[in-house]
Amino acid sequence: MSAPGAGFPLPAMPGEQPLKTGRANLQRGAESVGGTLHLTTHRLMFTSHALNFQRGETVIPLETIASVTPAWTKFLGTIPLFPNSILITGRDGQSQSAVVAGRKDWIAAIERARRGDAYSGGH
């Protein structure tokens, strides 16, 4: 895992602070896109690396997240393989799945950030 703020993908919003950064694969349709996941006090951001067909950022404002739960990485979208993903569900019902190392830590960090107590209980 990189130090918080390393390679911050977008300009910071007023008062925004980096909290957690790590490698991740974001499911975009049939492609599992490799890159970096960044958590800040305001947003969850994914930036793909250059070796993917689908490139760019995915930005999820924390206030639009309804839940973050543990999930399974699935082969062909249906066959469970590994319990190493998180499922981010928005208030609009849309979901994003990301494969991360230390999913319990990611879920806890995102929940703390959503509550506004991101700096309590460690980073």
Side-chain angles (χ1 to χ4, degrees):
M1 179 170 61
S2 303
F8 200 68
L10 300 172
M13 299 169 67
E16 184 175 33
Q17 297 295 315
L19 300 173
K20 186 172 182 67
T21 299
R23 287 188 239 166
N25 288 327
L26 188 70
Q27 195 65 39
R28 289 184 179 161
E31 186 181 0
S32 181
V33 180
T36 305
L37 191 63
H38 303 268
L39 174 64
T40 75
T41 51
H42 292 67
R43 310 178 270 188
L44 188 61
M45 298 176 282
F46 174 81
T47 305
S48 65
H49 57 63
L51 300 177
N52 296 293
F53 288 110
Q54 297 184 51
R55 296 184 190 120
E57 289 92 21
T58 297
V59 178
I60 305 170
L62 295 181
E63 69 269 10
T64 67
I65 297 174
S67 65
V68 182
T69 55
W72 283 73
T73 298
K74 295 180 181 176
F75 178 66
L76 301 174
T78 58
I79 303 167
L81 292 178
F82 302 106
N84 61 348
S85 296
I86 58 174
L87 184 66
I88 304 139
T89 304
R91 295 186 188 283
D92 62 1
Q94 299 288 324
S95 295
Q96 291 276 347
S97 178
V99 177
V100 295
R103 72 177 178 171
K104 287 181 183 179
D105 292 339
W106 272 102
I107 291 170
I110 293 167
E111 290 301 333
R112 282 193 305 270
R114 289 180 61 218
R115 288 191 308 265
D117 63 348
Y119 291 106
S120 65
H123 301 294

